[in-house]
Amino acid sequence: MVQVALRENRIHTLKQDGYQFKIFFWHNLMIAHLTIEQIDHYAVFKFTIEDLIEILKKAGIVYGIRKEQLEKVINNTILNKSIEVARGTFPERGKDADIEFLFDTTKSKTPVVQNDGYIDYKNLNIIRNAVVGQPLAKKVHAVRGKSGITVTGEKVEGLMGRDRALPKGKNTYISSDNPDLLVSTIDGAITFNDNVVSVERNYKLRSDVDTSTGNIEFVGNLHISGSVRAGFRIKVDGDVEIDKNIEDAEVISGGSVVAKGGFIGSGKGLIKAKNDVFIKYIGNQRIVAGNNVKIIDEAMNAKVEAGNAVYLKGEGSIIVGGQVSACNLVDVNSIGSEMGIRTLVRVGYDKILMEKYTNVKTEVNSLQNDKAKIGKEVKTLLGLKKDDELNEEQRLLLLQLKKKQAEISKKIEEMEGKGNELLTEIQENKIAKIVVRGNIYPGTTIQIGILKKEIPQELKNMTFQIYQGRIISISNT
């Protein structure tokens, strides 16, 4: 007769043939241990594996029975010792939630070796750009693990992997449309520190722009603590501040450029800003600004263009050689040199209008040349006609040439009218002027609109402007 007792849902006790069988359940019914005790001094241990399995089944154990352990118990008559006799399949923990970063998270940038062996040091992409609304990171949800089975045959649900929060930092937000997506709130540089993603509008590069950085492209504001070396390019949507010099390099800004050093090279350099350019000095390079250009010291053999004004008002500031152009004003200490270096300073200069006007004048000249050539042919044929020596083919040619001549004359008239309209528009800038607070030397050409004035002798402290269709100079004193 088999007796079964359950104690606290952890131990089953069975008695059979003079022996007591204690089955212990551990780890939520995942493991079962058996201890056999002799309770009848005269009982003989003659149990088989099948007998023990049947006893385990009486205790509810139907899965994971370890027959090799039961064999040891029988072969060695193991009594009064706890032996593991069944082990279930433990439920597995699933894969933890993960974050998929939607940008390059590597910090070190190595140059690319191209197929021909050329090592590209200029395109290292050291700044990770982000724009408003750009996804930065995506959460991949945790997964539930494989189910388990207890020794009593019950299925145990697998464990969920651990959750993980999106790495939300400065200037980022969790999308309302997709709560698993981290998005940028501004245009700027992506930073990734201590597993937190942020976006910074301002980026400081604490070095030169050279082979260690490559070319720079950034959607925010950039501060460079060093120089910009020859052959490299900076393109920034915001403002650029450069603490040291700029060599034969390109600096393109969607805002303003402040260069605390100089800009000198072989003529291959360019600074182009949508707004203003502030610089210490420029030599043999080019600046284009949508608004103002302010130069502290000198512009030497440079090409400077400003949508509004150019200022060189520092003590000793001077324009020598090259050309400086502005739409409304050039305000400078001195222009030219005692050596008579050719220097052009012009205002009232709308580059687009001037290009249109120049193109019209070029086309008119070309049409007039064509008209002159046709005129010579017509004159020759009219001479033959006078002498009554024209054949039928020549009469037909004469008619064609006269028609062509009339068409060209009409076209010239139209183009000249267009040129006059452009000229009027160019000359409408009555506020354009050039202010010279120091000396202006011979060799200098002053241009306002399309009017030019050569400076034949040294002048001092003068303002040049248009009056009654001509350039006049007025003393500033």
Side-chain angles (χ1 to χ4, degrees):
M1 183 176 179
V2 176
Q3 296 176 335
V4 179
L6 176 63
R7 297 180 182 175
E8 298 179 355
N9 205 31
R10 296 287 300 274
I11 304 172
H12 283 278
T13 302
L14 299 89
K15 294 178 181 179
Q16 182 175 325
D17 299 335
Y19 288 86
Q20 180 172 268
F21 299 86
K22 290 182 178 179
I23 294 108
F24 298 83
F25 292 93
W26 305 98
H27 299 291
N28 296 319
L29 303 179
M30 297 307 296
I31 296 175
H33 283 217
L34 171 65
T35 300
I36 304 174
E37 299 171 350
Q38 187 176 11
I39 55 176
D40 183 348
H41 183 70
Y42 298 101
V44 178
F45 191 87
K46 55 183 180 180
F47 295 99
T48 64
I49 290 178
E50 288 72 21
D51 292 334
L52 295 184
I53 290 174
E54 189 62 29
I55 289 170
L56 294 178
K57 286 182 178 179
K58 295 289 184 181
I61 298 172
V62 295
Y63 180 82
I65 296 173
R66 300 184 62 184
K67 290 183 179 181
E68 76 281 4
Q69 292 287 79
L70 297 179
E71 286 179 357
K72 288 180 182 179
V73 170
I74 291 170
N75 293 336
N76 298 292
T77 313
I78 299 174
L79 301 177
N80 304 313
K81 184 177 181 181
S82 178
I83 302 294
E84 182 181 308
V85 292
R87 177 176 285 264
T89 300
F90 280 81
E92 295 181 4
R93 182 174 293 281
K95 187 177 180 181
D96 293 343
D98 197 8
I99 302 299
E100 180 184 348
F101 295 99
L102 306 178
F103 58 91
D104 185 359
T105 59
T106 57
K107 288 187 176 181
S108 61
K109 300 291 185 178
T110 55
V112 175
V113 180
Q114 298 180 352
N115 293 333
D116 59 1
Y118 172 76
I119 301 176
D120 185 2
Y121 288 98
K122 292 188 176 181
N123 296 292
L124 302 181
N125 300 314
I126 66 165
I127 300 179
R128 298 171 290 205
N129 287 296
V131 297
V132 174
Q134 177 178 323
L136 303 172
K138 179 172 67 176
K139 180 160 83 170
V140 179
H141 283 276
V143 177
R144 187 176 295 280
K146 291 182 180 179
S147 299
I149 302 176
T150 68
V151 294
T152 57
E154 297 167 329
K155 182 179 179 181
V156 180
E157 192 173 38
L159 304 176
M160 282 296 296
R162 297 174 183 84
D163 194 16
R164 183 176 176 183
L166 281 166
K168 183 180 182 303
K170 183 179 178 182
N171 296 319
T172 67
Y173 71 98
I174 296 173
S175 172
S176 57
D177 297 329
N178 183 354
D180 296 327
L181 204 61
L182 185 68
V183 178
S184 175
T185 63
I186 64 168
D187 295 344
I190 302 170
T191 63
F192 181 51
N193 298 310
D194 299 325
N195 288 320
V196 174
V197 178
S198 299
V199 181
E200 301 289 347
R201 190 178 302 280
N202 302 314
Y203 185 92
K204 184 166 185 178
L205 181 65
R206 302 178 187 276
S207 68
D208 293 342
V209 174
D210 54 20
T211 54
S212 68
T213 64
N215 296 327
I216 303 292
E217 288 198 20
F218 182 41
V219 295
N221 302 316
L222 177 65
H223 182 185
I224 298 169
S225 62
S227 298
V228 184
R229 299 301 181 186
F232 288 89
R233 185 172 190 266
I234 296 171
K235 186 175 184 296
V236 174
D237 289 355
D239 298 330
V240 181
E241 182 177 351
I242 301 167
D243 288 350
K244 296 183 180 179
N245 295 328
I246 305 169
E247 299 176 359
D248 277 326
E250 284 190 12
V251 178
I252 311 298
S253 167
S256 296
V257 175
V258 176
K260 298 177 183 178
F263 184 28
I264 294 180
S266 64
K268 297 178 181 178
L270 169 66
I271 296 176
K272 187 175 183 179
K274 184 177 182 181
N275 297 327
D276 301 322
V277 173
F278 303 84
I279 196 163
K280 185 172 177 58
Y281 56 86
I282 176 174
N284 201 36
Q285 302 284 40
R286 185 183 178 202
I287 292 176
V288 179
N291 191 37
N292 298 326
V293 175
K294 295 183 179 181
I295 303 170
I296 296 174
D297 292 337
E298 70 269 356
M300 307 286 289
N301 296 313
K303 188 173 183 180
V304 178
E305 302 172 27
N308 181 45
V310 176
Y311 299 95
L312 289 93
K313 297 175 69 174
E315 185 177 352
S317 63
I318 190 169
I319 300 170
V320 180
Q323 62 184 48
V324 173
S325 306
C327 189
N328 297 315
L329 172 67
V330 172
D331 192 336
V332 60
N333 188 51
S334 295
I335 304 176
S337 72
E338 294 178 347
M339 297 175 63
I341 296 174
R342 301 297 301 172
T343 306
L344 172 63
V345 178
R346 58 188 178 187
V347 291
Y349 182 79
D350 186 311
K351 187 176 181 179
I352 296 174
L353 287 179
M354 289 300 294
E355 285 179 355
K356 288 180 178 179
Y357 180 73
T358 300
N359 290 338
V360 168
K361 294 292 289 182
T362 300
E363 187 171 350
V364 168
N365 289 337
S366 177
L367 289 169
Q368 287 174 338
N369 289 334
D370 291 343
K371 183 180 177 182
K373 290 177 184 178
I374 292 173
K376 290 180 180 179
E377 293 184 47
V378 169
K379 185 177 181 181
T380 300
L381 290 172
L382 287 174
L384 293 175
K385 181 180 179 182
K386 184 178 180 181
D387 296 332
D388 201 22
E389 294 179 2
L390 275 181
N391 57 36
E392 188 61 29
E393 184 178 347
Q394 289 171 328
R395 284 193 182 88
L396 182 58
L397 177 59
L398 179 59
L399 291 174
Q400 291 174 342
L401 290 173
K402 284 184 175 181
K403 182 180 179 182
K404 185 67 174 178
Q405 196 174 37
E407 290 173 354
I408 291 176
S409 295
K410 184 178 180 180
K411 183 67 174 177
I412 289 173
E413 184 179 350
E414 291 174 358
M415 294 303 293
E416 285 179 337
K418 187 175 181 180
N420 290 333
E421 290 176 2
L422 288 169
L423 183 57
T424 300
E425 192 173 352
I426 290 168
Q427 292 176 335
E428 280 180 351
N429 188 352
K430 296 179 180 179
I431 65 169
K433 61 183 177 180
I434 298 170
V435 179
V436 184
R437 303 181 185 278
N439 298 326
I440 179 167
Y441 294 96
T444 299
T445 300
I446 296 296
Q447 180 177 344
I448 304 179
I450 64 168
L451 300 178
K452 292 184 179 181
K453 180 181 180 68
E454 302 290 338
I455 303 301
Q457 60 188 22
E458 185 177 334
L459 300 173
K460 189 177 181 65
N461 201 16
M462 305 292 288
T463 293
F464 298 86
Q465 61 189 53
I466 292 287
Y467 179 72
Q468 294 184 349
R470 62 189 182 92
I471 296 175
I472 63 168
S473 55
I474 304 170
S475 175
N476 295 326
T477 56

